[in-house]
Amino acid sequence: MELINLDHTMRIETASHSSKGNQLKWMIHDNWYKADYMGYESLSEVIVSSLLQCSDIPAERLIEYRPVWIQYDEKRMKGCASHNFLKEGQELIPIERLIRQYTGHSPVIEMGHIPGVKDRIRYLVNSVTDITGLHNFGAYLTTALEIDACFLNEDRHTNNIAVIYQEKTHDYCLCPYFDHGLSLFSDMTVDFPLESDMESCMKRIEAKPFSRDFDEQLDCAEELYGRQIVFLFGEKEISQSIIPFQGIYDPRILLRVEEVLRQQRRKYQYLFTKPAQG
């Protein structure tokens, strides 16, 4: 794997509403670098992005992550790298900041006052649509929730959903799907120690941002905006996605990840077949 030497002057401080803390992040020569923090976030980032290439998501909404070694503060850490997808004059605006800026209210707090999951999703989609004019945001968000359910991403808070703003034209557009690091039980430090079995991990994991239950928020979004994604990866692609990490991560981690991917593929089999034409 590539070795990247980084220092304090290159580090990026990011605000986060995640309960899991912040990864170390850097931006160098139009590339992002992130180091493992809770366990094997980089492995999850790379594998999820690799398997999303085997889907019907448009290429412009996918980010390719690659594994790297990061040398920082006299330590060598496992990490991942990706190209900055923003073009000149563009700004990434998390929907937390977007809605606060235009309404003066936090969408997280507002959704806390809305009892139904479907109504929370509708509120968020309508708010973003009203501000940006992006009438396909409901479908975009549904795709994100389908991805998160399949790969068990526990960190899709309102700072991990964003739109792109073009300052020159004052236009908004949808951004690629990003930040899959806390997927596949990658947090070995707090919630999913490597010694935990699959059943206990499944009982502990919680979704965001509309419900703690992945299936509940997924079902509600699909009822509102329709099923969106078609996954195209199978057993072969799952096995191939693990290969680059052999000899780098603990074999028990690789076995766990492979087991999770196979289990989730069986559970969400309907997302691996083309929807019936009505």
Side-chain angles (χ1 to χ4, degrees):
M1 284 197 313
E2 181 183 6
L3 174 63
I4 306 294
N5 287 286
L6 303 173
D7 62 36
H8 295 277
T9 63
M10 303 169 177
R11 185 177 168 188
I12 302 294
E13 297 291 343
T14 57
S16 174
H17 284 217
S18 170
S19 60
K20 299 279 186 171
N22 290 318
Q23 279 182 289
L24 293 174
K25 299 179 182 180
W26 301 262
M27 168 70 86
I28 315 290
H29 303 309
D30 218 28
N31 283 284
W32 279 100
Y33 298 94
K34 298 192 289 187
D36 282 352
Y37 178 69
M38 305 294 292
Y40 50 89
E41 298 101 314
S42 299
L43 180 152
S44 294
E45 201 83 77
V46 173
I47 286 181
V48 172
S49 70
S50 170
L51 293 177
L52 287 181
Q53 301 287 333
C54 303
S55 75
D56 65 347
I57 297 175
E60 64 269 18
R61 296 205 188 129
L62 295 176
I63 303 174
E64 182 179 354
Y65 292 86
R66 67 185 189 278
V68 295
W69 286 106
I70 293 173
Q71 187 73 34
Y72 173 73
D73 201 18
E74 300 183 356
K75 296 179 182 177
R76 181 171 293 193
M77 301 174 286
K78 302 179 187 73
C80 64
S82 63
H83 185 70
N84 178 24
F85 56 80
L86 292 176
K87 300 176 182 177
E88 184 177 356
Q90 289 185 336
E91 179 185 2
L92 187 71
I93 302 183
I95 59 172
E96 176 70 29
R97 177 158 65 92
L98 178 79
I99 295 174
R100 277 179 179 267
Q101 179 178 323
Y102 279 84
T103 69
H105 303 289
S106 165
V108 173
I109 295 174
E110 292 300 304
M111 287 191 294
H113 300 312
I114 300 173
V117 172
K118 188 182 293 187
D119 289 332
R120 292 174 199 158
I121 295 172
R122 186 186 287 113
Y123 153 78
L124 197 71
V125 170
N126 289 346
S127 296
V128 173
T129 301
D130 290 344
I131 295 168
T132 66
L134 294 172
H135 295 286
N136 54 349
F137 185 76
Y140 171 86
L141 179 64
T142 301
T143 301
L145 296 180
E146 290 169 337
I147 294 169
D148 291 344
C150 184
F151 296 105
L152 295 172
N153 183 359
E154 59 170 333
D155 204 35
R156 188 61 63 200
H157 50 81
T158 53
N159 275 303
N160 270 348
I161 306 168
V163 294
I164 295 173
Y165 177 66
Q166 174 57 256
E167 184 176 1
K168 185 175 181 179
T169 62
H170 305 294
D171 290 328
Y172 293 90
C173 64
L174 299 173
C175 75
Y177 297 101
F178 65 96
D179 215 338
H180 314 291
L182 281 172
S183 302
L184 306 173
F185 302 134
S186 65
D187 167 19
M188 298 191 302
T189 304
V190 179
D191 287 328
F192 314 112
L194 198 51
E195 296 74 24
S196 297
D197 59 33
M198 188 72 63
E199 184 178 356
S200 58
C201 287
M202 289 298 296
K203 288 179 179 178
R204 283 197 297 272
I205 196 164
E206 294 182 351
K208 291 183 181 73
F210 308 105
S211 168
R212 294 180 179 179
D213 186 282
F214 285 101
D215 292 336
E216 183 178 25
Q217 61 179 17
L218 172 60
D219 290 344
C220 288
E222 289 184 336
E223 286 177 23
L224 286 168
Y225 307 107
R227 176 193 154 185
Q228 298 298 320
I229 203 169
V230 178
F231 289 115
L232 303 172
F233 64 86
E235 299 292 316
K236 177 182 176 182
E237 287 76 18
I238 290 174
S239 297
Q240 289 177 335
S241 72
I242 304 293
I243 292 174
F245 299 98
Q246 292 176 348
I248 298 172
Y249 284 89
D250 188 318
R252 295 174 297 167
I253 291 175
L254 304 186
L255 286 172
R256 172 198 264 187
V257 168
E258 189 163 7
E259 182 181 355
V260 172
L261 289 169
R262 294 180 189 279
Q263 175 177 296
Q264 292 301 100
R265 186 177 182 274
R266 289 192 297 268
K267 178 178 180 179
Y268 293 105
Q269 186 61 46
Y270 81 98
L271 292 175
F272 288 80
T273 59
K274 292 184 178 179
Q277 299 297 317

